[in-house]
């Protein structure tokens, strides 16, 4: 995991950050857009990057905990997306030790994050997420399939295994959608995504 974080730190150029921020959040979340909360709630954005999604949620009135372990991305987000509705936190998976101290959240988002977690750590990571989800709260995550830059490696993901892990931690599946990449370059490389939406139905697990 440390190698991946170092890779993101080295890649955090103004051009990289601008390209990340330019993506339209409504287009990114289109497969699950109707499942997102319409009234203000507490959101934990895990792997918040430069804060693109956090800022989008904050602008809609939500209170967002933006969890990002890469200093260069986190500081860029703090400078570029100033909002009283965003609180930044230096924390990382699989344990999310600090984030768990913030209580439970109505929505947890992991956009382009899960593929960076090694298989051996995914069960612990899911357990940590389960402890952060409010009863009835939702979790949405995108699973990347396909090649990635050498300095930001990804690990293969089986959606069915991810769904089963989530179920073991109290989540029920709401939706599964397979999509192509919205980025032209990634689409040309054959990158595609599986979007999953869950609801916490048994927080006692």
């Amino acid at each position: 995991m440390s190698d991946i974080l170092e890779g993101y730190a080295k890649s955090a150029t103004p051009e990289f950050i601008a390209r990340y921020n330019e993506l339209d959040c409504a287009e990114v979340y289109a497969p699950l857009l109707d499942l997102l909360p319409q009234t203000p709630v507490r959101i934990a954005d895990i792997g918040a990057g430069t804060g693109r999604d956090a800022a989008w949620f904050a602008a809609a009135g939500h209170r967002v905990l933006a969890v990002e372990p890469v200093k260069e991305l986190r500081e860029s987000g703090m400078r570029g997306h100033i909002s009283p509705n965003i609180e930044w936190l230096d924390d990382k998976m699989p344990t999310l030790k600090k984030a768990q101290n913030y209580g439970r959240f109505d929505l947890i988002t992991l956009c382009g994050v899960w593929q960076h977690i090694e298989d051996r750590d995914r069960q612990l990571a899911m357990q940590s997420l389960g402890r952060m989800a409010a009863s009835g709260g939702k979790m949405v995550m995108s699973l990347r399939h396909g090649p990635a830059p050498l300095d930001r490696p990804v690990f293969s993901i089986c959606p069915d295994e991810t769904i089963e892990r989530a179920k073991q931690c109290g989540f029920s599946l709401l939706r599964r959608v397979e999509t192509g990449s919205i980025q032209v370059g990634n689409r040309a490389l054959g990158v595609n995504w599986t979007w999953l939406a869950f609801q916490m139905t048994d927080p006692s697990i």
Side-chain angles (χ1 to χ4, degrees), residues 68-187:
E68 176 52 57
V70 178
K71 178 182 178 182
E72 290 78 2
L73 297 178
R74 189 175 63 252
E75 291 184 348
S76 174
M78 295 174 72
R79 292 191 303 269
H81 302 294
I82 299 173
S83 169
N85 285 348
I86 302 176
E87 181 174 356
W88 286 88
L89 180 66
D90 177 7
D91 199 7
K92 63 183 179 181
M93 293 206 286
T95 59
L96 294 169
K97 288 182 178 179
K98 298 176 186 176
Q100 290 189 54
N101 292 327
Y102 284 73
R104 293 184 178 263
F105 293 84
D106 305 295
L107 176 65
I108 299 173
T109 62
L110 298 95
C111 185
V113 174
W114 198 247
Q115 72 272 6
H116 293 309
I117 308 300
E118 293 187 67
D119 186 70
R120 67 189 182 197
D121 292 328
R122 286 177 182 160
Q123 190 61 32
L124 175 57
M126 192 65 78
Q127 290 169 350
S128 300
L129 294 167
R131 287 190 287 268
M132 292 176 61
S135 179
K138 295 175 183 176
M139 177 173 71
V140 299
M141 58 198 310
S142 58
L143 315 183
R144 175 176 171 143
H145 312 289
L150 293 177
D151 61 345
R152 303 193 301 277
V154 300
F155 304 100
S156 62
I157 305 173
C158 174
D160 290 336
E161 289 182 1
T162 305
I163 292 169
E164 181 57 32
R165 283 194 169 106
K167 287 181 178 179
Q168 293 172 8
C169 296
F171 291 102
S172 295
L173 181 67
L174 292 176
R175 185 176 297 171
R176 172 178 175 171
V177 182
E178 314 292 336
T179 70
S181 175
I182 65 172
Q183 298 186 67
V184 175
N186 282 344
R187 192 162 58 244

